[in-house]
């Protein structure tokens, strides 16, 4: 089944980032581990989470200390995407552009919190509920997020299978044309 899975450009970028900074196992997907490797100063305050680039290569991130640690990590990943992939002041951007960046940051959370390379290296239980529970436990994410990721992976595998069938059918048509 894994051979049918196709990563998106953002997902591939995330996997490459993790390879570059040495994130190799679920326990490495922590605020401290990633922040240290990317030179990000983390400040836990009674404010909404946000990130800023202080100067070239120096980043700061404010994480809402009112959130439970599990959600702080997801906020960190969301803000990490903004830091590493988005430029410009949101107040000066068209709303559609800002919304596109927010959407990308939300997709990034799925890929960064539960990388496909780490999921595919495990044998997940056959039952969907059990697989979701295992992802949630292994990657320390809410069940809803694990369910979203499992559904996404299943859709991509199914899409890859459909594409393979369509390609085989096209190949057969070409062969039949040449035989006649």
């Amino acid at each position: 089944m894994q051979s049918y899975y196709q990563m998106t450009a953002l997902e591939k970028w995330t996997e490459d980032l993790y390879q570059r900074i040495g994130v190799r196992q679920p326990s490495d997907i922590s605020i401290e581990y990633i922040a240290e490797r990317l030179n990000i100063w983390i400040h836990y305050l009674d404010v909404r989470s946000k990130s800023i680039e202080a100067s070239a290569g120096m980043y700061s991130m404010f994480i809402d200390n009112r959130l439970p640690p599990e959600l702080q990590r997801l906020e960190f990943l969301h803000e990490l995407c903004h830091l590493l992939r988005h430029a410009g002041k949101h107040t000066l951007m068209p709303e559609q552009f800002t919304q596109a960046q927010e959407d990308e940051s939300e997709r990034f959370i799925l890929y960064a919190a539960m990388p496909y390379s780490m999921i595919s290296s495990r044998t997940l239980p056959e039952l969907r509920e059990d697989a979701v529970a295992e992802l949630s436990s292994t990657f320390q994410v809410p069940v809803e997020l694990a369910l979203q990721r499992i559904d996404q992976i299943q859709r991509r595998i199914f899409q890859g299978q459909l594409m393979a069938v369509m390609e085989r059918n096209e190949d057969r048509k070409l062969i039949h044309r040449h035989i006649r």
Side-chain angles (χ1 to χ4, degrees):
M1 290 292 171
Q2 291 179 22
S3 63
Y4 292 109
Y5 187 84
Q6 296 291 315
M7 287 190 195
T8 66
L10 177 61
E11 188 170 11
K12 179 77 173 108
W13 183 87
T14 305
E15 295 273 351
D16 291 346
L17 170 69
Y18 276 6
Q19 279 293 334
R20 215 169 45 252
I21 65 172
V23 174
R24 308 248 188 277
Q25 56 195 4
S27 62
D28 295 341
I29 307 170
S30 72
I31 294 173
E32 295 75 22
Y33 191 89
I34 294 171
E36 180 182 314
R37 278 152 185 76
L38 293 173
N39 200 22
I40 301 170
W41 291 50
I42 304 296
H43 311 276
Y44 294 91
L45 301 170
D46 192 0
V47 296
R48 283 187 57 213
S49 298
K50 68 178 178 178
S51 55
I52 56 171
E53 182 174 1
S55 63
M58 288 294 296
Y59 306 109
S60 284
M61 194 178 297
F62 302 98
I63 303 292
D64 189 340
N65 65 8
R66 299 166 292 188
L67 297 172
E70 182 179 84
L71 295 181
Q72 287 179 355
R73 188 168 62 101
L74 299 180
E75 290 276 311
F76 168 77
L77 294 173
H78 178 95
E79 293 303 324
L80 182 63
C81 184
H82 285 307
L83 270 180
L84 300 178
R85 292 186 57 88
H86 304 150
K89 289 191 177 259
H90 285 265
T91 54
L92 303 175
M93 292 181 196
E95 186 178 333
Q96 296 91 336
F97 193 75
T98 302
Q99 188 57 52
Q101 288 185 344
E102 287 301 317
D103 293 345
E104 182 179 67
S105 292
E106 288 303 308
R107 286 190 313 276
F108 178 81
I109 290 173
L110 282 177
Y111 305 141
M114 296 167 280
Y116 184 73
S117 61
M118 292 183 199
I119 295 171
S120 64
S121 68
R122 330 180 96 61
T123 303
L124 292 177
E126 288 289 319
L127 286 176
R128 184 170 182 245
E129 299 82 34
D130 294 342
V132 168
E134 184 169 319
L135 275 189
S136 176
S137 173
T138 301
F139 292 97
Q140 298 297 297
V141 297
V143 169
E144 302 80 30
L145 201 66
L147 176 62
Q148 193 177 348
R149 186 67 165 131
I150 287 280
D151 286 348
Q152 180 189 64
I153 289 169
Q154 287 176 329
R155 279 192 311 274
R156 294 245 186 89
I157 289 171
F158 182 65
Q159 180 183 13
Q161 289 170 326
L162 282 175
M163 295 300 287
V165 167
M166 290 170 55
E167 287 173 13
R168 282 194 300 267
N169 286 342
E170 283 300 313
D171 290 345
R172 285 185 190 133
K173 287 178 186 176
L174 286 173
I175 292 170
H176 286 305
R177 283 187 198 140
H178 290 296
I179 293 175
R180 291 184 198 173

